[in-house]
Amino acid sequence: MNKIVIWSLIASLAGFLFGFDTVVISGADKKLQELWNSSDAFHGAVVMGMALWGTVFGAIFGGIPANKIGRKNTLIWIGILFFFSAIGSALANDPIVFAIFRFFGGLGVGASTIAAPAYISEIAPAKDRGKLVAFYQFNIVLGILIAFLSNYLLRNSGENSWRWMMGVQAIPSLIYTLFIFTIPKSPRWLLSKSRNEEAKKVLASMGQLTDFEEMKREIELDNISAITHDTIFSKKYRTPLLLAFLIAFFNQLSGINALLYYSPRIFQEAGLGESTALLSSIGIGVINLVFTLIGVFLIDRLGRKVLMYIGSIGYIVSLSLVAIAFFFHWQGLVVPFFLFIFIASHAIGQGAVIWVFISEIFPNHLRASGQSFGSTTHWILAAIIPSMIPFLFATIGPGIVFLVFAIMMVLQLLFVFVLMPETKGISLEELSEKLIKR
């Protein structure tokens, strides 16, 4: 079991780079807009948003290398993409070059949301799968916290402080890439490629050799489906497809990425100074980390559905309060306090659950494709919504924006109640039987 935990932790470090890459731009946000004299629309869609469009492409096409060259080799390439993105964006001298290198980092983020959860779910025992896959989410929020902290510490490192903010990511990217070389290939992926002896060796090293014949039989059945040109869009996979779409859809309609990308700007809109806004952003990172740890602890005890109930109710309360605060012009630390409640609700609910849930609900031969579909839905919305925030704040105002997010979370609560199944403690193969209409 110790080996499985260590390998899961190493694979989940892709989440650290994901979190760091997503948030590090927030410290450079206003500096870059002033430096290149960009309009709100260009700044939001290109300078800030290009990494998110890279993430969309990474999510759409990341399932291809995850299937062809395997989860492990895909994770190695992800580390390389993050490294070159950090160096290139730090050295960029115009917004287009900057955006291109940020796009490469986005490719790494999108692909990581497929390869890392798929890898961990395929090596984890059913009883521990929730918390092991949730290591990925834990590392995302750890990366977010470290990025906020890094931005705060580097804020006075000269007029080009943004270059240091962007470039420092090269260090964890290199360390992560070297670590990935030490983990084995996924035994389920090896079996799907009929590399049975290699799979047997990996399972033996995991102490799961007794599962070999059953796993082999189930994957052979999956492969028969694959030979008949099965896709996730086949009628019998309608249920897992709908579940993946809806959990990803509601994840972004909470406004989580808008907050992470623009938290210093949001806090300044609420009347805080620049340094106080950056410090409040660190507070978001700390709350996110603490409540993600609570979510990881509870996900295999209470189950995915209970955590989603808790998170949904917290979302509705906190987002409504943020909207009211902007409508009535409440100043000071009121808005950060309400957003701390929001981030705690996200961390214990959607944050802890989404990548675990999507990695569980598709059959083995379609897992990477299913991950890709769920991730693509997530990242298309994650690209559109933050890109629109500067424009929406300037036109309709933050109060209405947060009110819309609150209404969407009422709909999420209905989704959890009516449609979402509990996947706690059920093997991947049993879940396939349960969710697929044969």
Side-chain angles (χ1 to χ4, degrees), residues 76-144:
I76 292 169
W77 279 105
I78 286 165
I80 294 167
L81 282 169
F82 277 125
F83 179 81
F84 282 107
S85 172
I87 297 294
S89 53
L91 297 176
N93 284 318
D94 69 78
I96 301 300
V97 173
F98 179 85
I100 289 168
F101 278 103
R102 288 288 293 158
F103 182 86
F104 288 136
L107 290 175
V109 171
S112 82
T113 60
I114 298 163
Y119 178 86
I120 299 167
S121 72
E122 289 176 356
I123 66 168
K127 67 182 177 63
D128 298 309
R129 191 175 59 242
K131 71 181 178 193
L132 291 178
V133 178
F135 281 164
Y136 178 70
Q137 178 64 22
F138 169 78
N139 270 289
I140 292 172
V141 300
L142 181 61
I144 288 168

Side-chain angles (χ1 to χ4, degrees), residues 396-419:
I396 63 173
I400 293 174
V401 172
F402 282 103
L403 180 62
V404 171
F405 290 149
I407 292 166
M408 295 310 299
M409 291 304 93
V410 174
L411 297 179
Q412 175 178 276
L413 186 61
L414 289 173
F415 154 69
V416 177
F417 181 71
V418 175
L419 292 175

Side-chain angles (χ1 to χ4, degrees), residues 347-359:
I348 204 167
Q350 270 273 12
V353 171
I354 180 171
W355 305 118
V356 175
F357 187 72
I358 295 175
S359 75

Side-chain angles (χ1 to χ4, degrees), residues 100-397:
I100 289 168
F101 278 103
R102 288 288 293 158
F103 182 86
F104 288 136
L107 290 175
V109 171
S112 82
T113 60
I114 298 163
Y119 178 86
I120 299 167
S121 72
E122 289 176 356
I123 66 168
K127 67 182 177 63
D128 298 309
R129 191 175 59 242
K131 71 181 178 193
L132 291 178
V133 178
F135 281 164
Y136 178 70
Q137 178 64 22
F138 169 78
N139 270 289
I140 292 172
V141 300
L142 181 61
I144 288 168
L145 172 59
I146 298 301
F148 278 137
L149 187 60
S150 171
N151 285 348
Y152 181 74
L153 294 174
L154 293 169
R155 74 194 186 284
N156 294 324
S157 55
E159 65 176 282
N160 286 325
S161 58
W162 66 270
R163 295 189 187 276
W164 292 103
M165 290 177 182
M166 304 307 299
V168 75
Q169 189 182 357
I171 298 167
S173 301
L174 185 61
I175 293 168
Y176 157 81
T177 307
L178 294 173
F179 271 135
I180 288 294
F181 281 100
T182 68
I183 67 174
K185 290 182 169 69
S186 158
R188 282 183 165 93
W189 178 79
L190 289 168
L191 283 168
S192 74
K193 300 298 179 186
S194 300
R195 292 161 64 173
N196 296 352
E197 290 306 311
E198 288 178 72
K200 196 179 280 188
K201 285 178 186 173
V202 175
L203 285 167
S205 70
M206 292 161 58
Q208 293 182 16
L209 195 54
T210 52
D211 297 338
F212 175 76
E213 289 300 331
E214 177 64 17
M215 200 180 288
K216 181 168 171 281
R217 186 185 68 79
E218 294 286 351
I219 288 170
E220 281 170 354
L221 286 173
D222 264 352
N223 284 344
I224 291 167
S225 295
I227 291 164
T228 61
H229 304 293
D230 237 3
T231 75
I232 55 167
F233 299 106
S234 299
K235 189 175 179 181
K236 63 183 175 181
Y237 302 121
R238 188 180 296 163
T239 300
L241 196 72
L242 180 65
L243 293 170
F245 173 81
L246 287 173
I247 197 166
F249 175 84
F250 285 121
N251 182 286
Q252 284 305 300
L253 266 293
S254 69
I256 182 62
N257 268 50
L259 171 63
L260 294 178
Y261 258 60
Y262 293 104
S263 57
R265 184 183 290 243
I266 291 167
F267 292 144
Q268 284 179 276
E269 289 269 355
L272 302 184
E274 185 181 354
S275 274
T276 312
L278 283 169
L279 269 175
S280 296
S281 299
I282 294 172
I284 280 180
V286 172
I287 297 288
N288 206 357
L289 186 70
V290 169
F291 280 86
T292 296
L293 277 171
I294 295 170
V296 170
F297 177 77
L298 294 176
I299 193 165
D300 284 321
R301 290 170 170 81
L302 299 182
R304 289 60 161 152
K305 199 162 176 169
V306 172
L307 294 190
M308 287 291 287
Y309 276 129
I310 295 168
S312 298
I313 293 165
Y315 272 150
I316 294 163
V317 171
S318 57
L319 287 166
S320 299
L321 288 170
V322 172
I324 291 166
F326 277 112
F327 284 135
F328 290 98
H329 306 290
W330 296 345
Q331 295 290 302
L333 294 173
V334 175
V335 170
F337 177 73
F338 294 155
L339 286 172
F340 289 167
I341 300 171
F342 166 79
I343 208 77
S345 305
H346 173 80
I348 204 167
Q350 270 273 12
V353 171
I354 180 171
W355 305 118
V356 175
F357 187 72
I358 295 175
S359 75
E360 294 175 321
I361 56 178
F362 291 95
N364 288 305
H365 74 287
L366 293 174
R367 182 161 299 111
S369 301
Q371 287 277 136
S372 178
F373 174 78
S375 296
T376 300
T377 304
H378 175 280
W379 287 115
I380 286 174
L381 290 166
I384 292 168
I385 295 168
S387 296
M388 293 171 65
I389 287 297
F391 174 75
L392 289 174
F393 275 18
T395 51
I396 63 173

